[in-house]
Amino acid sequence: MASVQDILAKLRISNHNSAWYTGLKSGSESAQTREIFSPINGAYLATVSMANDADYEICISEAQAAFEIWKKMPAPKRGEIVRQYGDKLRHYKQELGELVSLEMGKIIQEGLGEVQEMIDICDFAVGLSRQLYGLTMASERPDHRMFEQWHPLGICGIISAFNFPVAVWAWNSMLAAVCGDVCIWKPSEKTPLTAIACHKIMEEVLRENNLPEGIFCLIIGDAHIGKRMSEDTRVPLVSATGSTRMGKAVGTAVGARLGKSILELGGNNAIIIAPSADLKMAIAATIFGSVGTAGQRCTTTRRLIVHSDVYEKVKSELLRLYPKLPIGSPLEQGNLVGPLIDKDAVTNFTNALTSVQAEGGKLIYGGTVITDGELAKGNFVVPAIVEAENHYEMVQHETFAPILYLLKYEGDVTNAIAIQNGVKQGLSSSIFTTNMLEAELFLSYKGSDCGIANVNIGTSGAEIGGAFGGEKETGGGRESGSDSWKAYMRRQTNTVNYSTALPLAQGIKFDLD
């Protein structure tokens, strides 16, 4: 494992005590700075400058100018730039994965996996660059041809969250790029270093191809910059990932100007364990889903809905395995639970447990903050299991921390589905069953109301090939695979008349003679 200094140096990031980056080479000097500390041990990593309104205007101007060049490039040529970026990511995968772990706190395997996810979406986007298909439709008028085509939107604003500091940007930016859009990225101010590293790698690609750096802009700023972007008519599309509260503010601002938005917001995801389930598989998926990324995934398993016939067996197995989970530095191989992002997250964890117990919940494992030894320097907690009821306020609420609510259901699977659907969020869901009727019901219109519904796999770990997103307070957006690319373009319907007559649709007669 390289030192912090070595990792930053290999990624071309300086590490010193002065304010040194706004995300814009030509940006004005900002008086506001932010120090970045690792959640692992509180170690100082770097200091960044926070962009101001002048920086934002420069960013918009550079993006607008770059769009005039980028949109004229054939889509496969744009795909070639994305391909080169994917190759650069392969070269820097180890260092970038380590930086994700250092700055965000997820275990190194997840950090490397996040970089691999970027590589995968680059590959997907390269193929997509030759598949931006329209449709030809039959016209009711003789000697007419009707078809649709897709055009670039312009500037795509990307607001990303700390928990996936690089992958979600790539989901959006790589697809937007092959579609002909330029991107302005406002990462979470909690994890700017990984964003800067990704941007510097992209700068290499753009310079090598004599392209303007404004095709991919980066701006490090607080919520004010996000608000500016959301209200800016020069940004036709804003893709925002974060809390439901944040998403409502972004959606309201973008909607007020009739812009387009992609919202990926809160999740309150559940696994149903039916009586026929393979319990070994189900419990393994539950533990990964509930403690992976220290419970800080939008797809984290927060509720486990278990049939009464197997409830005690599942509970007993969880209580056997949870104490064996290695908690420690995410940079050390073998550790499975890293730290929370900051002290506020630790406070939210303990407050949630206090509140749910006040409602009647029973804490049966964990729930403590680690306050001794080396781990006391970081933001480490012991993942918690709470026996609860689905209607409890805290169970209805998404707490970004490793808290698993254990819920019991009786009768047939429709009762479990009602519990699963009985929250405001609708991102990811899963059922473990070997009963085909239960599995099909879960996937039918009578089943899960989430954007993602899985059978015999957990709620976390989506592949890039499928459209990612959820319903209800999760926002309704879709990113990554399938036909999500259409959100980054504008559809145009075209009709060509190759006759010398002018017939009207619906048989309307409008004779001027």
Side-chain angles (χ1 to χ4, degrees):
M1 171 65 196
S3 69
V4 173
Q5 290 75 18
D6 287 343
I7 293 170
L8 295 177
K10 287 180 180 179
L11 292 169
R12 293 164 174 76
I13 298 178
S14 302
N15 179 20
H16 51 77
N17 292 319
S18 61
W20 53 275
Y21 199 82
T22 64
L24 294 166
K25 285 185 176 180
S26 54
S28 60
E29 185 72 14
S30 172
Q32 185 181 1
T33 62
R34 183 183 179 98
E35 292 184 327
I36 307 301
F37 300 92
S38 175
I40 301 171
N41 53 15
Y44 169 80
L45 297 178
T47 300
V48 296
S49 293
M50 303 291 279
N52 55 29
D53 286 335
D55 295 322
Y56 177 80
E57 287 301 323
I58 293 169
C59 194
I60 289 289
S61 296
E62 290 188 358
Q64 286 179 317
F67 178 60
E68 295 304 312
I69 297 170
W70 187 242
K71 70 180 180 181
K72 296 174 185 176
M73 287 182 65
K77 297 296 184 183
R78 298 192 294 254
E80 168 60 15
I81 302 304
V82 172
R83 185 196 66 78
Q84 292 178 32
Y85 185 60
D87 284 348
K88 294 276 189 184
L89 291 176
R90 288 176 171 89
H91 176 74
Y92 290 111
K93 178 178 176 179
Q94 184 66 36
E95 291 81 10
L96 191 53
E98 289 174 358
L99 182 57
V100 169
S101 292
L102 268 173
E103 187 178 34
M104 185 271 150
K106 62 177 60 177
I107 62 173
I108 184 61
Q109 285 303 312
E110 290 187 80
L112 294 170
E114 184 165 351
V115 181
Q116 185 61 49
E117 198 163 350
M118 299 174 72
I119 294 168
D120 292 345
I121 201 66
C122 285
D123 289 349
F124 182 91
V126 172
L128 177 64
S129 69
R130 295 181 182 269
Q131 301 177 73
L132 301 175
Y133 299 135
L135 295 173
T136 297
M137 296 151 283
S139 173
E140 66 184 67
R141 290 169 282 187
D143 299 327
H144 282 59
R145 181 167 68 92
M146 188 164 63
F147 62 98
E148 68 178 25
Q149 58 182 335
W150 297 83
H151 297 296
L153 280 173
I155 298 175
C156 174
I158 302 169
I159 302 172
S160 63
F162 74 85
N163 59 332
F164 279 84
V166 292
V168 172
W169 166 73
W171 286 1
N172 285 273
S173 61
M174 297 304 109
L175 297 193
V178 298
C179 289
D181 298 330
V182 297
C183 299
I184 299 177
W185 180 19
K186 193 204 90 63
S188 169
E189 57 268 37
K190 296 180 181 181
T191 52
L193 300 184
T194 45
I196 293 168
C198 289
H199 190 244
K200 285 185 172 291
I201 295 169
M202 179 57 80
E203 283 179 340
E204 291 182 10
V205 175
L206 296 174
R207 281 196 300 269
E208 289 166 2
N209 288 274
N210 296 314
L211 288 168
E213 293 177 5
I215 295 169
F216 292 91
C217 289
L218 173 67
I219 187 162
I220 308 298
D222 57 18
H224 173 70
I225 296 297
K227 185 173 185 292
R228 285 288 309 272
M229 190 182 294
S230 300
E231 295 173 346
D232 196 337
T233 57
R234 297 169 294 180
V235 184
L237 172 66
V238 176
S239 177
T241 303
S243 68
T244 297
R245 177 189 57 78
M246 180 275 285
K248 286 181 177 180
V250 171
T252 299
V254 175
R257 59 178 173 88
L258 301 181
K260 298 176 67 176
S261 62
I262 301 172
L263 300 176
E264 298 292 351
L265 311 176
N268 196 346
N269 316 293
I271 290 177
I272 296 171
I273 299 183
S276 67
D278 181 322
L279 294 186
K280 184 177 181 180
M281 285 175 55
I283 289 168
T286 297
I287 293 176
F288 172 73
S290 58
V291 307
T293 322
Q296 297 171 115
R297 287 177 178 239
C298 51
T299 54
T300 289
T301 304
R302 307 203 180 279
R303 297 175 296 142
L304 186 63
I305 305 167
V306 186
H307 192 275
S308 57
D309 287 355
V310 292
Y311 182 88
E312 291 301 327
K313 189 171 184 179
V314 168
K315 174 183 170 181
S316 176
E317 191 65 4
L318 289 173
L319 291 176
R320 183 182 75 84
L321 292 172
Y322 256 63
K324 297 181 179 181
L325 290 171
I327 303 172
S329 170
L331 295 167
E332 294 179 10
Q333 293 287 350
N335 285 334
L336 298 180
V337 183
L340 295 175
I341 186 65
D342 54 26
K343 296 302 181 186
D344 287 343
V346 174
T347 300
N348 290 337
F349 171 76
T350 57
N351 287 347
L353 291 172
T354 299
S355 296
V356 75
Q357 289 179 88
E359 293 183 82
K362 182 181 178 183
L363 178 64
I364 61 174
Y365 182 78
T368 56
V369 178
I370 298 177
T371 57
D372 55 357
E374 280 297 307
L375 299 189
K377 298 176 182 178
N379 306 315
F380 291 88
V381 300
V382 179
I385 303 174
V386 179
E387 290 186 297
E389 299 290 340
N390 199 57
H391 65 267
Y392 290 172
E393 182 181 350
M394 287 311 303
V395 177
Q396 293 283 312
H397 177 74
E398 180 191 42
T399 303
F400 235 49
I403 302 174
L404 178 65
Y405 296 116
L406 193 54
L407 313 173
K408 184 186 295 186
Y409 81 96
E410 308 277 355
D412 66 28
V413 74
T414 59
N415 296 325
I417 292 172
I419 296 171
Q420 141 67 36
N421 293 344
V423 293
K424 294 180 179 180
Q425 308 85 357
L427 179 52
S428 186
S429 59
S430 174
I431 187 171
F432 277 83
T433 180
T434 55
N435 183 317
M436 184 184 73
L437 300 182
E438 290 183 330
E440 291 296 331
L441 179 65
F442 182 73
L443 299 178
S444 76
Y445 71 94
K446 299 177 183 178
S448 169
D449 63 2
C450 293
I452 299 169
N454 299 326
V455 176
N456 293 330
I457 64 170
T459 59
S460 289
E463 299 180 32
I464 60 96
F468 181 89
E471 301 301 322
K472 301 190 292 189
E473 286 198 352
T474 302
R478 292 296 184 275
E479 297 169 331
S480 192
S482 186
D483 65 349
S484 297
W485 63 270
K486 293 179 179 179
Y488 304 93
M489 304 194 81
R490 58 180 178 88
R491 187 196 307 251
Q492 185 180 77
T493 301
N494 307 106
T495 306
V496 176
N497 178 3
Y498 54 92
S499 74
T500 58
L502 190 64
L504 300 176
Q506 294 83 47
I508 293 172
K509 301 296 182 182
F510 193 78
D511 295 326
L512 296 176
D513 294 334

